[in-house]
Structure formats: structure tokens, C-alpha cells
Amino acid sequence: MANDQSNHEDRHRNGLLMPEEVLDTLERDEPSAPPESGLTTVRDPSSIGDLGTADRVGEEGDEIGGAAHSAPGDLMRSSAVMAVGTVVSRITGFGRTVVLASALGTQLLGDAYQTANSVPFAVYDLLIGGLLASVFVPFLVKRRKSDADGGNATEQRLFTAMLLALFVISLVAILAAEWLIRLYAGEFTGAQHAVAVYLARFLLAQIFFIGASGIASAMLNARNHFAAPMWAPILHNLVVIAAGGLFLWVAGPGNSPESITRSDLTILGVGTAAAQVVQMAVLVWTLWRAGFRWRPRLDLRGSGLGEAVRTAGWMMLYIGVVQAGMLVTTNVATRAGVRAAEAGESAAGAGYAAYQYASLIYQLPYAIIAVSVITALLPRMSGHVADGRKDLVRRDFSLGFRLSAVLIVPISVAMVVFAVPFCVLLYARGSMSVEDAQSVGRILTAFAVMLVPFTLFQLQQRVFYALGDTRTPSLIAIPAELAHATLAILLLFTAPPHLIVVLLPLAYGTYYIVGSVLAWRMLARRLNGLDGRRTLRTLLLLYAASVPSAIFGVAMVLAFGVLPGTYLPALLGILAGGLVGILLFVLIAPRLGVTEVTTFFGMVRTRLLRR
């Protein structure tokens, strides 16, 4: 109780409005209901790690990961470190992507680089990353608490085994670079294939450094050191920015797979891999300062690691299904780019690079808003599950999703309206033409439509994990992925090549729509419902409140679009439409009876006045 009061006072002094505060306020406004007991768990939820979104390939890391499961209660309820670290990481991530887009563009050379850089993350997640997130992080936390040596022997064994496994996997992957590129980009031929393979031989070495960073982060989280794992990716981004800038300065814009030289590609490959080395070095150094001294041990018998791995079966099935989906997406997008070029159509924004650039922006609202809400929800739900309270778990889920929707819904609508001018403002420079940037904006528009079902599914998964159930979400992933893969492959054979990646986010979103429907039915049975009527009402009212803002935003984009120039019309349209749109939403939503908006902005206003 004293800790709660102290945390509240700290937040108050810092002027921060944290998700747990809003959840507490919304909870007090909830109508009273009789307790519903009888909730049982499949297994101990504390033994289950969080896989994050599990499909963010090539990104700087997951914002939930082990930290959400290993943090103590007081830090869990104060997610400022995670939120601020995520924001700064994403800002530098934007800088990284803008520089790479300027250097490589969205056509065949950009596709070659993005594919070569995605493969090591996919291989790592499939073979090592899933185990680390789902099993080893909570395993380390438990052994540090239960072992007489504070888990030191377990850490030595795990660190040694992981490094050996990573070294072998990295070596094999480098030797198999050509086959891996053929697997993920089956229609790359000639110079484009040669460029992707050459880059992959550098970038596949990242597997070792990604894994070493992962295990170091897990061990730091187990020691309640959260700053370095959240901030180290920022250094990674800065190194890639420097490498991309050097490449652009040396090679210049407008290169193609046929015109680029090996020395120019070496700058890109070495620079990208070096970024992972820097990130790993910072984390390992921080781990050393936290007291860990590595002494190689391979006496794994009786260590418990084998048993821990055996319990990860369902989680690994889920990872396998998600990675199969990533394989389908990459193949469809890369083939679309090749076919657009071969057909003599404009290959601007027709391939995998454009898809990746749009995806980076699309997941930003979730990464900052929903992740913060999930971080606040996890300890609350876990406590209610331990008490067997169906009603309180149901209330937590409903509150969490409705709170996320207060910001996610208007942001998704704003993305639809401003996607094209925003991408022009962000990307149209260097090797990225205005037409390229507009194509990325159209892909982002399709992505934005899927932001709400994406967020809903992620929250539903956390309810399953709080219940100790990894089997059900893994089984749900199978029909959801079949729906995604079927629609994606159908696009490849029916849509014009230049439109495939524009429509591909709709296939991607089908996974989350199907998954959300199935997960809702499963959870509703266990929890006697999920407060569906109120959740649907809130969503409909939020969309209704966003309509005037959307209309005004479209009007501003069209009005300023007649001005000469590229950047100024886009900037003015976004500023005018966005600022007035926010004001309209804040005024209209409370009048439509969206109590969550009234509560949220009321707390913001009160906090600002107190400051």
C-alpha cells in the first residue's frame, strides 16, 4: 500500500498520466456486479513469456518481451521507462528508415536489401527467439528466486548454450545464404538475386548478435535492469543511419542492382551488421556492470533447461505459424516487385521495401499506446486469475481495449486520411521519388484499416497468457494464417502487379480479423462473456466521432494539394487537418456519450492544470 502511494506521488510529481491511473479511474466508474468465481488456469502464468507481436521482422525489438513478465509490481505499474524508451526508439527508427529509403528507394535494390535484412530476424525468431521470449525469460526469473546461488549456474549454462547454438546457426545460415534468399524471394533473378545474396552473407551474421543481445536483455530484465534493453536499440538505429548516410554519399541516389558496386554494398552490409554488434556490446557491458561474469558451462543435465524447452511446444507452434505467414508475405511482395518491373509497369512502391516502410508507421500507435496499456494490465489480470475471478478478468480486458481504442480509433482514421501526404513528407527524397512515397502512403492506408483488429487480437492473446493457456492461441493461429495465406496468394495471381502490395495489408489484416473472432468466442465461454455490447458501442461511437475530423482532414489535403511544391502542401494539409481534427474529436466524442474519452481527457486537463 505504501509502495502504491509512493508510485502515485512520483507520477504526480513527474506530471505523467500513466495507463494504470486511467484504468483505475475507469474502474471506479464501472457498475457494481456480483463476483463470479470458478476461473481455473491451464498452467502457471508466471512460467509463460510474452512473444510480443511475433511478426515484426527486421525491427529493433519487441516493446513487451521479457520485461513485462519479469518486472516487479511497482515497476510494472509505472511504465514510463518503457513508454519513453519506445518513443525515442521509434523516432530514431523513423530516422533509420528515412535514410535507408533515401539511399535505396522502393524498387528492386530496396527489395533486395529489405529481404536480405529480414531473413536473419526470421531465422533467429524461429530457432531461438521464440524459446527465449516464451520460456527462458520467466525461467531465469524463477531460478534467480529459488536457487541457492541466485540462479548463477543456470545463467552460466544458458548463456553458454545460447552462444554456441547462435554461432552454429549463424555459420550455417551464412553458408546457405543463396538458398535462404531463394526461399524468401523466389523470383529474384540475375543482378537482384546476386545483390541480395551478397548482402545476406553480411547480414546473416546478425543472428549471433541479435541472439546475444536477446539473452543479455533477458538476464538484465531478470535483475530488474530495464533501461539498457529499452534504450540500446537507439544506438543500433544511429549506427544504421550513419551507414546509410555514408552509402548515400559514396554511391549516390538512384542505384539499381545492375549499377551498384560491391564496395558500395559492403558499406551497407558491414554498417547494418555493425549496428547489431554495437547494440550487443552495450547490453553485454551493462550486464557485466550488473555483476554477471561469464564462466562457460555445458553441464546441462539436471539444469532444468530441457524441461523448460519441452513446455514451449505450443508457443513454438505459434511462432512457426507466424513465421510461415511472414514467408508468404515476403514471397508475395518480392514477386510483385519483380513482376511489375518485368511487365514494364512502374515498379515504384510495388515490392517488399515499400511494404516494410509502410508497416513501420502502421505499428507505431500500437507500439506506444497499446503496449503501455498491456504492460499495466498484465499484473492486474494475473492477480485476478490467481483469485479465480472471471468478472474482474473480463472487466480488465474490456477496460484495456476501450482505453486503447480511445486513441487507436482516431489515429487509424487519421492514418487513412493523411497517409499519402505524410509518406511524401517523410520519404520523398534521395532515391525515393514522390511517386514512390505516394505508393507507400497507399499501402499505409490499407494497413490503417486493420489497426483496430490488430490491437484487439494482441489484447486477447494477453488474456490467454494470463490464464496460462498457450494451446488455444496457437491453434487459433492456424485457421487465421490459412485465411491470410490464401488471400495473399490469391492476390498474386489475380491483382495487377503494381497493386498487389497495396492490397497485401488487407490479407495481413485477415489474420487478425479471423483470429479475433475465434479468440472472442473462446474467451467468452471461459469468462461468461467479454462485455461485447459496451465494447461495440464504444467502437461505433469513436468512429462516429471521428467522421467530422476525417471529412475536414480530406478537405484540407485537397485544398492545400493545389499549391505548388511537394513538401509544403503536404505539411500544411496535415497540420491544418490534424489540429482542427483533434479539436473536433475532443468536442464531439463526449457529446456522443463516449465516457472513456470524457474520463481520459478530463484527467489530462486536471493534470495540466495542477502543473
Side-chain angles (χ1 to χ4, degrees):
M1 197 61 191
N3 285 338
D4 290 349
Q5 181 65 26
S6 174
N7 291 331
H8 177 76
E9 290 175 355
D10 288 342
R11 292 192 298 264
H12 212 69
R13 284 194 297 269
N14 292 332
L16 296 173
L17 182 62
M18 302 306 297
E20 58 270 21
E21 294 182 80
V22 186
L23 288 169
D24 289 339
T25 302
L26 290 172
E27 182 180 320
R28 287 194 292 270
D29 295 336
E30 288 290 291
S32 58
E36 298 176 35
S37 58
L39 190 64
T40 58
T41 59
V42 177
R43 55 187 286 204
D44 181 7
S46 66
S47 65
I48 299 172
D50 200 310
L51 295 173
T53 65
D55 63 357
R56 195 172 304 158
V57 176
E59 285 297 301
E60 60 266 28
D62 171 52
E63 290 85 0
I64 304 175
H69 284 264
S70 57
D74 56 344
L75 186 56
M76 281 289 296
R77 287 190 294 271
S78 179
S79 51
V81 173
M82 182 172 289
V84 174
T86 297
V87 170
V88 178
S89 177
R90 289 289 162 170
I91 290 172
T92 55
F94 269 131
R96 176 200 66 195
T97 306
V98 167
V99 170
L100 289 175
S102 298
L104 300 170
T106 64
Q107 302 190 28
L108 299 184
L109 181 59
D111 283 7
Y113 172 83
Q114 290 293 341
T115 303
N117 196 41
S118 293
V119 171
F121 287 89
V123 173
Y124 166 74
D125 286 342
L126 184 62
L127 299 180
I128 296 290
L131 280 174
L132 181 62
S134 65
V135 173
F136 290 144
V137 170
F139 178 73
L140 283 176
V141 174
K142 285 189 172 183
R143 294 303 288 263
R144 281 185 62 81
K145 292 178 181 178
S146 62
D147 291 359
D149 65 350
N152 180 66
T154 298
E155 288 182 331
Q156 300 290 353
R157 294 179 178 114
L158 179 59
F159 199 77
T160 304
M162 285 283 288
L163 291 185
L164 284 175
L166 288 166
F167 177 79
V168 172
I169 292 170
S170 300
L171 182 60
V172 172
I174 291 171
L175 294 175
E178 182 171 356
W179 296 105
L180 287 171
I181 293 299
R182 291 194 185 281
L183 178 65
Y184 281 86
E187 291 191 11
F188 278 2
T189 58
Q192 188 183 25
H193 176 76
V195 165
V197 172
Y198 185 78
L199 286 171
R201 297 197 191 282
F202 291 102
L203 300 180
L204 284 166
Q206 291 181 109
I207 294 173
F208 180 86
F209 304 111
I210 295 167
S213 297
I215 184 63
S217 295
M219 293 167 67
L220 285 168
N221 287 338
R223 288 168 164 77
N224 295 333
H225 288 262
F226 300 96
M230 290 304 303
W231 290 82
I234 296 168
L235 293 175
H236 168 273
N237 291 334
L238 294 176
V239 174
V240 175
I241 288 171
L246 179 61
F247 172 87
L248 187 58
W249 180 62
V250 172
N255 287 285
S256 68
E258 289 77 17
S259 66
I260 196 71
T261 66
R262 285 289 179 96
S263 59
D264 293 338
L265 290 175
T266 301
I267 294 173
L268 206 57
V270 171
T272 304
Q276 286 294 344
V277 177
V278 170
Q279 178 171 317
M280 179 207 70
V282 169
L283 291 169
V284 171
W285 176 75
T286 306
L287 184 61
W288 181 84
R289 291 201 61 184
F292 178 72
R293 301 293 183 269
W294 180 36
R295 296 177 180 84
R297 293 187 62 168
L298 278 175
D299 51 330
L300 301 182
R301 186 180 297 276
S303 65
L305 290 175
E307 181 181 352
V309 171
R310 285 191 292 273
T311 64
W314 289 113
M315 296 292 261
M316 294 311 296
L317 172 63
Y318 176 74
I319 286 287
V321 171
V322 170
Q323 289 302 315
M326 187 265 175
L327 180 64
V328 170
T329 296
T330 307
N331 263 287
V332 170
T334 54
R335 289 166 190 262
V338 172
R339 292 181 185 185
E342 289 177 346
E345 301 176 4
S346 171
Y352 186 54
Y355 184 89
Q356 285 285 77
Y357 297 147
S359 177
L360 173 78
I361 303 173
Y362 153 71
Q363 289 197 0
L364 180 63
Y366 168 82
I368 295 175
I369 297 167
V371 164
S372 297
V373 172
I374 289 171
T375 306
L377 275 178
L378 280 172
R380 299 163 69 108
M381 286 197 297
S382 297
H384 297 324
V385 167
D387 295 335
R389 292 289 299 273
K390 296 181 181 180
D391 55 318
L392 298 184
V393 176
R394 181 173 64 242
R395 183 197 65 192
D396 283 343
F397 167 76
S398 175
L399 287 175
F401 180 62
R402 285 186 281 122
L403 176 58
S404 299
V406 166
L407 296 176
I408 292 289
V409 168
I411 287 174
S412 67
V413 173
M415 276 188 177
V416 171
V417 174
F418 300 118
V420 172
F422 180 74
C423 287
V424 168
L425 195 63
L426 186 67
Y427 289 131
R429 54 185 53 82
S431 298
M432 179 87 86
S433 67
V434 173
E435 184 184 10
D436 290 328
Q438 289 173 337
S439 296
V440 175
R442 287 188 282 272
I443 299 169
L444 178 58
T445 300
F447 263 127
V449 176
M450 297 301 173
L451 187 55
V452 170
F454 174 82
T455 302
L456 173 61
F457 184 76
Q458 300 301 332
L459 285 164
Q460 289 171 324
Q461 272 199 313
R462 273 58 188 197
V463 181
F464 282 116
Y465 294 162
L467 293 170
D469 184 358
T470 57
R471 177 177 179 269
T472 304
S474 299
L475 293 177
I476 287 173
I478 296 174
E481 182 49 49
L482 286 174
H484 159 238
T486 300
L487 186 54
I489 294 171
L490 189 63
L491 286 174
L492 189 62
F493 290 100
T494 58
H498 68 284
L499 290 180
I500 291 173
V501 293
V502 175
L503 299 173
L504 195 55
L506 302 181
Y508 166 89
T510 303
Y511 175 96
Y512 294 103
I513 293 173
V514 173
S516 295
V517 171
L518 295 175
W520 190 284
R521 294 187 62 182
M522 300 292 185
L523 288 172
R525 291 176 185 172
R526 296 193 193 183
L527 302 176
N528 293 337
L530 284 177
D531 202 13
R533 288 185 179 179
R534 186 162 22 158
T535 299
L536 180 60
R537 176 184 178 275
T538 298
L539 281 177
L540 293 176
L541 290 176
L542 286 170
Y543 277 114
S546 301
V547 168
S549 300
I551 294 173
F552 185 82
V554 170
M556 291 299 97
V557 170
L558 294 176
F560 286 106
V562 301
L563 296 177
T566 299
Y567 301 114
L568 185 61
L571 178 61
L572 292 176
I574 293 170
L575 286 178
L579 292 175
V580 176
I582 292 172
L583 180 61
L584 288 173
F585 178 79
V586 172
L587 292 175
I588 293 172
R591 285 167 173 74
L592 291 180
V594 188
T595 56
E596 295 82 6
V597 173
T598 305
T599 300
F600 179 78
F601 286 106
M603 294 182 70
V604 171
R605 183 172 59 252
T606 301
R607 183 58 52 86
L608 291 175
L609 291 174
R610 286 176 178 172
R611 294 185 70 183

